Amino acid sequence: MITFIHTADLHLDSPFKGIKQLEPQLFDAIYQSTFDSFRELVTQAIAAEVDFFLISGDIYDEENQSVKAQAFLRDELGRLDRSGIPVYLSHGNHDFLGRESLKLQLPENVTVFEKEVTTEMLTTKTGERVAITGFSYPSRWVEERMIVDYPNRNHTVDYHIGMLHGYLEGLNSSEGVYAPFSLGELNAKNYDYWALGHIHKRQQLQEAPPVVYCGNTQGRNPNETEAKGAYLVTLRKGMVPTLTFLPTAPIVWEKETMSLHGCKTLNDVFARIEERMEQHRAISESSVLLSLLFTDIQGLHPDVVKKIEDEEILDGVRQRLDRPFIYLYQLKIAVDTEKELFSFDQVMKESFSKSWTEISADDVFYQQLDNFFQHPLIRTTFPDLKKDRSFKEEVLAAAKKRIVQAVAFEEEEDSEDSED
Ligand SMILES: [Mn+2]
């Protein structure tokens, strides 16, 4: 039997650029959260006496690995070292292998994968032999199918584990620059566990053998919701693998909807908000950054609606910053944008639909994007992009979303970071 930690995407020293406007005490807690989460994970790993510890890429947030983050990592991995726990880590697209002269020396127990796929051997305290295969990103993008270089299962060991920071093909064709792979390719290697990194949303792509994105250790923006942490994994010969999720993030982003059915006055709305926050206080072990999306607002007096829209109600909510805290950072009214926009405005609806048909025609579409396709970078790096029908569909869908949102004066948070 072997036990180990599978983590990835620590993004240490993430600057949390988008939320600098929050009160300083709150920003401080958020800024420290990537560090706090990892420290907690190390503590739990030591308590669980795991055999080894895997970090599948994006340890740091930026290629310019801050000294603060490096010193922190060195200290924390040093705690694992003193507990006799070996660490295997690879660098991902955010923290690709940088200049040696800018690096702090990591403790003896740490093995860092280089840019070529290599296999490390390990014997646990109980004498079981484990092979661990991985690689690090040498640059921001890795278009090669690195999976091709992974060796087939080593038959002289008890367990073979693959570490891979990359994108499962088919999730999104535009992500081909992150060491793409398919589930079939992983399975063909015949390993016992795939410790994936890159996607920040926790998900198990396959039960046996487990193919797992453990997600990041701390949500970094409103779109990275849910509890965050890492997996404690146990593998036994001939037995079903056990994966235990260890929530370690001190702060969790949550988006919830809240029905205002039956609410008429400001007082009704306010009471319902406070009730929800009390519920969180009663059950939550971590701090929560909460966004509430109101539905069923038909009964509300228009002046109350205005006070929601003007953020006057949000300003009035009593926020407490003791730990764990529940902090309400956003109150919004849910809008079915497209439907609301066009249901009462026939002229706009027709004009939109006419323009849409026009731009969707192949000749117009490709003419509009001609400069883009002629760009040297696109021509050389993505020569087949023009033939890719799904590319056209994705561009059109994204454009439609933007237009509808722009017309509705809706400002959505940037979601692009949630999957890297
Ligand atoms: Mn990442």
Side-chain angles (χ1 to χ4, degrees):
M1 178 184 93
I2 58 168
T3 64
F4 61 93
I5 295 289
H6 166 204
T7 188
D9 297 277
L10 315 179
H11 288 265
L12 294 177
D13 210 6
S14 192
F16 291 97
K17 286 188 199 115
I19 48 179
K20 278 261 162 72
Q21 78 284 4
L22 294 178
E23 18 199 314
Q25 195 189 344
L26 183 62
F27 179 78
D28 240 36
I30 298 173
Y31 172 64
Q32 287 302 331
S33 62
T34 54
F35 297 105
D36 293 344
S37 184
F38 189 67
R39 188 182 298 115
E40 173 63 19
L41 178 59
V42 167
T43 300
Q44 294 198 26
I46 293 170
E49 298 179 29
V50 296
D51 293 309
F52 53 94
F53 193 104
L54 307 178
I55 314 177
S56 298
D58 283 3
I59 291 115
Y60 303 107
D61 192 59
E62 291 174 10
E63 61 172 292
N64 176 20
Q65 305 166 2
S66 76
V67 180
K68 177 183 171 172
Q70 289 197 59
F72 170 83
L73 186 76
R74 186 173 69 170
D75 289 350
E76 291 304 317
L77 298 187
R79 289 170 64 208
L80 292 172
D81 191 23
R82 289 191 292 281
S83 301
I85 300 171
V87 177
Y88 297 83
L89 72 83
S90 63
H91 291 285
N93 53 301
H94 268 264
D95 65 338
F96 53 85
L97 288 163
R99 288 220 304 276
E100 279 306 318
S101 58
L102 290 176
K103 282 183 188 164
L104 288 186
Q105 176 78 43
L106 290 171
E108 294 266 302
N109 61 327
V110 182
T111 304
V112 180
F113 283 100
E114 295 297 326
K115 67 181 201 297
E116 292 84 20
V117 173
T118 48
T119 300
E120 299 290 334
M121 295 293 184
L122 156 91
T123 305
T124 66
K125 285 183 206 110
T126 53
E128 288 180 284
R129 296 189 70 229
V130 185
I132 301 169
T133 303
F135 76 97
S136 282
Y137 280 50
S139 55
R140 186 77 173 82
W141 293 290
V142 170
E143 287 168 51
E144 293 83 22
R145 305 186 69 81
M146 297 301 289
I147 182 62
V148 174
D149 294 345
Y150 280 62
N152 287 329
R153 186 202 173 78
N154 180 323
H155 285 286
T156 70
V157 298
D158 297 297
Y159 300 95
H160 198 145
I161 293 168
M163 292 171 69
L164 178 51
H165 189 88
Y167 212 88
L168 175 74
E169 244 175 19
L171 285 179
N172 184 338
S173 59
S174 66
E175 295 276 341
V177 291
Y178 302 120
F181 60 88
S182 69
L183 209 48
E185 284 171 310
L186 301 190
N187 282 327
K189 304 294 177 187
N190 221 1
Y191 291 4
D192 298 291
Y193 187 94
W194 280 97
L196 306 178
H198 183 60
I199 303 295
H200 288 184
K201 188 172 168 49
R202 187 171 72 247
Q203 52 200 296
Q204 197 168 344
L205 303 177
Q206 181 174 281
E207 298 242 329
V211 177
V212 183
Y213 280 116
C214 56
N216 53 346
T217 46
Q218 169 62 55
R220 297 177 311 146
N221 63 54
N223 296 308
E224 296 186 346
T225 54
E226 301 178 340
K228 299 284 187 177
Y231 277 113
L232 171 65
V233 183
T234 304
L235 301 180
R236 288 184 193 84
K237 288 271 165 219
M239 302 281 278
V240 179
T242 320
L243 276 74
T244 309
F245 173 65
L246 307 176
T248 57
I251 301 174
V252 177
W253 296 87
E254 295 285 8
K255 283 183 185 174
E256 295 177 355
T257 56
M258 175 186 263
S259 168
L260 293 185
H261 184 77
C263 288
K264 288 186 187 130
T265 65
L266 173 67
N267 198 56
D268 297 338
V269 176
F270 215 73
R272 210 162 281 191
I273 294 170
E274 296 214 307
E275 184 190 354
R276 179 68 64 93
M277 289 177 75
E278 276 314 313
Q279 285 167 1
H280 273 285
R281 282 195 188 97
I283 57 161
S284 187
E285 287 178 20
S286 50
S287 293
V288 177
L289 290 166
L290 182 64
S291 162
L292 288 178
L293 193 63
F294 294 132
T295 59
D296 309 316
I297 61 160
Q298 298 81 351
L300 284 186
H301 190 281
D303 291 346
V304 181
V305 173
K306 187 157 187 312
K307 284 195 185 297
I308 297 174
E309 287 171 345
D310 293 348
E311 298 199 345
E312 220 189 300
I313 292 189
L314 182 60
D315 286 342
V317 172
R318 192 161 43 91
Q319 310 269 19
R320 291 201 309 236
L321 289 177
D322 45 339
R323 304 280 192 96
F325 59 78
I326 308 299
Y327 188 91
L328 191 61
Y329 71 92
Q330 181 174 259
L331 289 178
K332 266 167 87 170
I333 296 169
V335 205
D336 181 349
T337 11
E338 208 172 331
K339 202 169 134 204
E340 292 242 331
L341 265 184
F342 300 137
S343 61
F344 52 87
D345 191 338
Q346 197 57 30
V347 179
M348 196 175 194
K349 187 178 181 178
E350 278 166 17
S351 123
F352 186 87
S353 143
K354 187 166 162 271
S355 307
W356 190 252
T357 315
E358 228 171 80
I359 193 76
S360 310
D362 268 357
D363 51 343
V364 181
F365 178 83
Y366 287 105
Q367 193 195 334
Q368 291 293 327
L369 267 71
D370 199 44
N371 280 342
F372 171 77
F373 285 115
Q374 293 306 323
H375 189 284
L377 183 72
I378 301 300
R379 248 186 6 226
T380 51
T381 318
F382 308 104
D384 297 329
L385 197 58
K386 213 168 171 173
K387 287 178 236 154
D388 185 350
R389 296 304 293 182
S390 65
F391 173 75
K392 183 187 165 188
E393 279 165 32
E394 278 176 34
V395 170
L396 286 174
K400 188 173 193 174
K401 195 174 158 203
R402 279 208 165 191
I403 292 165
V404 168
Q405 277 174 1
V407 176
F409 305 108
E410 280 283 308
E411 268 183 34
E412 277 297 315
E413 299 85 13
D414 196 346
S415 68
E416 73 185 47
D417 272 347
S418 58
E419 293 190 335
D420 68 358

